[in-house]
Amino acid sequence: MAEPTSLREWMNSLPDTCIFGVNNLGKITLWNCATESMTGYLSNEILLRPFSSILTDGSEVVIEKMLSLKSASTCVVSFKTVQRGAIKVRIESSVRQDPQNGSFLGLLCIGKEIIDTIDTSSSTENMDQEVTDLKEGINDLNIMGQFLKETRMLIDESNSPMFGVDTDGLINEWNDKMAEITGCTKHESRALNFLDTFVMPQFQPDARLIFKNALQGHCTSFELETQDADGYPVYLLVNVSTRRNSQGCVTGLFCIAEDVTESAQHERAVANAARELRQLVDTANVPIFG
């Protein structure tokens, strides 16, 4: 399975540092731009291939040992390349663990091509610094991963209905409360158009305009009517916020709602009673004045 986009972006922000990952089955799961340049293999053609398939001169055994030991280590291996034949690469590996249970996921490696063996002290010194930077980056990613995990739990378990859509209005976020209200599970909601599926037809034009304005940065709140699993009306007061990626580009909307069904139904009942009373007064056969 491909790694999170944030991790790929971080790796590719280091154009001179070859970073790649191997899972506990020995298959390639990470392959940054610098590693593409060094080997000639593009990430879309190398991912999930056995790492041993691009190694030569007995290096396959070295990698198998590293994976079996499940520990960080340093070694020199021979890579096959697309155009340059075999090259020697010094690898410094770090262990990747599941943040939830600590199980071994594989190795995250930084590689440096050995161009000559006359004076390697400078190269080794530079690589040691790169390894230190890499480990600090991995630690930052682990912290970020824990933060994202806690944020995900907060969204999923919140008592407030929360959902998100992409720029086409397709659902990509759906918490437990939304599932409870609508009867539509998170899995079932994926890629459904929120407005077409969950907003009553008479409210869709206004909701589309609000979503369109929000995608342009004009965030607001509005009330919409949807239905629960039994077809009864549900009124939500929705606060719409723009979602952006790390480059600042709009990627969709994130909405936090409040279930105002009880108060909305009360207001509508009062309004209906007032309207009926007005009609009774206007159509009465006896003079009524005040």
Side-chain angles (χ1 to χ4, degrees):
M1 189 172 179
E3 293 293 330
T5 303
S6 57
L7 181 54
R8 290 200 302 270
E9 288 179 350
W10 173 74
M11 292 195 314
N12 289 328
S13 70
L14 307 171
D16 299 319
T17 303
C18 296
I19 303 173
F20 56 93
V22 183
N23 68 13
N24 55 3
L25 300 177
K27 293 185 178 181
I28 298 168
T29 55
L30 296 168
W31 197 258
N32 78 337
C33 293
T35 313
E36 287 184 348
S37 299
M38 180 180 73
T39 63
Y41 295 106
L42 300 178
S43 61
N44 60 2
E45 62 186 12
I46 202 73
L47 289 180
L48 297 184
R49 276 181 56 180
F51 187 40
S52 59
S53 67
I54 61 167
L55 299 177
T56 186
D57 296 337
S59 297
E60 306 93 319
V61 178
V62 176
I63 296 301
E64 287 176 5
K65 185 176 181 180
M66 288 171 62
L67 289 170
S68 66
L69 291 174
K70 301 180 182 179
S71 61
S73 59
T74 303
C75 64
V76 176
V77 297
S78 294
F79 272 72
K80 300 173 186 176
T81 66
V82 174
Q83 295 181 332
R84 298 189 294 142
I87 60 172
K88 294 287 185 182
V89 179
R90 180 175 179 239
I91 291 176
E92 183 87 22
S93 67
S94 295
V95 173
R96 298 192 67 200
Q97 294 178 312
D98 189 312
Q100 294 184 338
N101 56 33
S103 62
F104 178 67
L105 297 179
L107 301 173
L108 185 61
C109 306
I110 180 170
K112 190 99 175 170
E113 182 178 357
I114 301 175
I115 299 176
D116 59 64
T117 56
I118 298 175
D119 181 12
T120 61
S121 59
S122 175
S123 174
T124 301
E125 201 173 291
N126 290 339
M127 186 169 180
D128 289 342
Q129 182 58 50
E130 289 177 348
V131 170
T132 300
D133 293 342
L134 175 62
K135 290 179 177 178
E136 289 176 355
I138 293 171
N139 184 58
D140 290 343
L141 284 171
N142 288 335
I143 293 172
M144 181 176 70
Q146 182 61 30
F147 172 75
L148 291 174
K149 176 186 173 184
E150 292 173 359
T151 303
R152 163 59 50 205
M153 188 179 301
L154 178 65
I155 291 173
D156 285 342
E157 299 179 0
S158 173
N159 286 324
S160 297
M162 298 182 187
F163 63 93
V165 298
D166 63 16
T167 52
D168 294 320
L170 304 181
I171 296 169
N172 53 21
E173 196 74 63
W174 197 255
N175 78 341
D176 295 344
K177 194 64 177 178
M178 282 299 295
E180 177 187 324
I181 288 174
T182 63
C184 182
T185 67
K186 184 191 295 277
H187 177 72
E188 292 168 340
S189 73
R190 288 290 173 178
L192 290 177
N193 186 290
F194 177 78
L195 297 177
D196 291 343
T197 308
F198 296 102
V199 179
M200 303 296 285
Q202 63 269 32
F203 294 102
Q204 287 184 11
D206 289 341
R208 288 186 197 283
L209 181 60
I210 290 170
F211 273 32
K212 179 181 178 181
N213 290 337
L215 287 170
Q216 295 172 355
H218 307 297
C219 299
T220 187
S221 297
F222 70 103
E223 184 179 308
L224 67 83
E225 180 181 343
T226 183
Q227 291 181 334
D228 64 15
D230 298 318
Y232 292 105
V234 175
Y235 300 95
L236 298 177
L237 183 62
V238 183
N239 180 272
V240 185
S241 300
T242 304
R243 299 179 76 175
R244 300 176 184 273
N245 61 17
S246 57
Q247 285 76 45
C249 300
V250 175
T251 59
L253 303 173
F254 185 72
C255 305
I256 301 177
E258 180 184 354
D259 188 346
V260 294
T261 301
E262 188 173 337
S263 60
Q265 287 177 336
H266 176 71
E267 290 174 3
R268 282 164 174 74
V270 171
N272 288 337
R275 187 167 55 252
E276 291 172 0
L277 180 59
R278 167 53 56 192
Q279 186 176 2
L280 178 63
V281 169
D282 291 343
T283 59
N285 290 324
V286 296
I288 300 176
F289 60 93

